């Protein structure tokens, strides 16, 4: 608990206290918003498992990563705790950032270059991998392990998974070939 005034003597504020106050004014809290993908999570959650979607909330917006078939960004923003198609479970405070709203948007634009919708993979590169990378870059800490535990277990049991979700390079749809310069990429 912080008592007011912040200075040790009435009417004066040291330069260190002013710097601390200025830094705290510029800090934005960073939350991990976690959503259920299935009602089975009501049972799995209590044993440390579940199938979850997650997004990062900062500066009044939530940022997530999702799949689509095009080689463009799969990063999106929505109103916090209201990601379409998912059932909100809980928010977890991850820390804070000193980035301004515009600095954070630039950070997300840069990071979105690594997260194209056609590179999404349920086990190897999903929304929780995205939020984990954001969290690591901003706080130096990972997201809670339970959020992506099922994908981690799946990566160890890759040979037991159906072929369509085994870890491999993401395949392009036949009617949307990928090109590198003038030559189509090998399938």
């Amino acid at each position: 608990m912080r008592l007011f005034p912040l200075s040790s003597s009435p009417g004066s504020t040291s330069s260190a206290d002013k710097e601390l106050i200025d830094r705290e004014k510029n800090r934005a809290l960073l939350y991990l918003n976690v959503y259920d993908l299935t009602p089975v999570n009501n049972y799995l959650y209590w044993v440390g498992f579940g199938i979850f979607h997650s997004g990062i909330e900062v500066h009044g917006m939530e940022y997530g990563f999702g799949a689509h078939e095009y080689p463009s960004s799969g990063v999106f923003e929505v109103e916090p705790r209201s990601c379409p198609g998912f059932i909100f479970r809980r928010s977890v405070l991850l820390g804070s950032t000193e980035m301004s709203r515009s600095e954070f948007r630039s950070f997300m634009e840069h990071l979105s270059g690594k997260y194209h919708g056609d590179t999404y993979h349920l086990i190897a590169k999903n929304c929780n991998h995205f939020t984990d990378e954001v969290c690591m870059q901003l706080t130096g800490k990972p997201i809670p392990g339970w959020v992506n535990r099922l994908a981690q277990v799946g990566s160890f049991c890759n040979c037991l998974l159906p072929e369509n979700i085994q870890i491999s390079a993401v395949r392009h749809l036949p009617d949307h070939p990928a090109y590198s310069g003038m030559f189509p990429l090998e399938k």
Side-chain angles (χ1 to χ4, degrees):
M1 175 170 31
R2 187 173 295 232
L3 300 174
F4 292 95
L6 293 174
S7 64
S8 54
S9 62
S12 70
T13 303
S14 72
S15 62
D17 287 341
K18 286 180 183 175
E19 185 177 319
L20 179 63
I21 292 167
D22 287 342
R23 260 198 315 242
E24 288 180 356
K25 283 181 185 175
N26 293 329
R27 286 199 152 317
L29 295 178
L30 191 70
Y31 290 94
L32 180 73
N33 291 333
V34 182
Y35 300 82
D36 288 327
L37 270 68
T38 174
V40 173
N41 281 358
N42 290 327
Y43 305 103
L44 295 175
Y45 177 77
W46 299 109
V47 293
F49 282 99
I51 305 170
F52 301 107
H53 169 76
S54 65
I56 293 286
E57 179 183 345
V58 66
H59 291 296
M61 290 302 293
E62 182 174 327
Y63 300 85
F65 171 56
H68 59 72
E69 60 188 48
Y70 305 105
S72 59
S73 177
V75 175
F76 59 89
E77 63 181 19
V78 295
E79 291 293 319
R81 301 181 185 116
S82 61
C83 192
F86 305 113
I87 301 164
F88 177 75
R89 174 171 283 277
R90 65 181 283 201
S91 286
V92 178
L93 178 62
L94 299 171
S96 61
T97 180
E98 291 184 16
M99 287 184 184
S100 69
R101 187 179 310 262
S102 63
E103 289 170 328
F104 187 79
R105 286 188 65 84
S106 293
F107 166 77
M108 291 305 282
E109 286 174 16
H110 175 72
L111 187 61
S112 70
K114 290 174 57 177
Y115 287 91
H116 288 186
D118 65 342
T119 65
Y120 185 98
H121 190 281
L122 190 60
I123 304 296
K125 191 175 184 181
N126 64 37
C127 56
N128 302 317
H129 292 105
F130 169 76
T131 57
D132 189 58
E133 183 168 348
V134 172
C135 187
M136 286 296 292
Q137 287 194 31
L138 296 180
T139 70
K141 298 180 288 186
I143 63 173
W146 57 267
V147 176
N148 207 25
R149 186 166 290 138
L150 207 54
Q152 292 166 350
V153 169
S155 69
F156 290 116
C157 304
N158 193 40
C159 61
L160 302 174
L161 297 172
E163 189 176 326
N164 62 338
I165 62 169
Q166 286 183 8
I167 298 175
S168 62
V170 176
R171 295 178 194 90
H172 292 275
L173 297 175
D175 57 342
H176 292 93
Y179 290 91
S180 175
M182 297 180 63
F183 303 102
L185 295 175
E186 297 289 323
K187 289 188 182 182

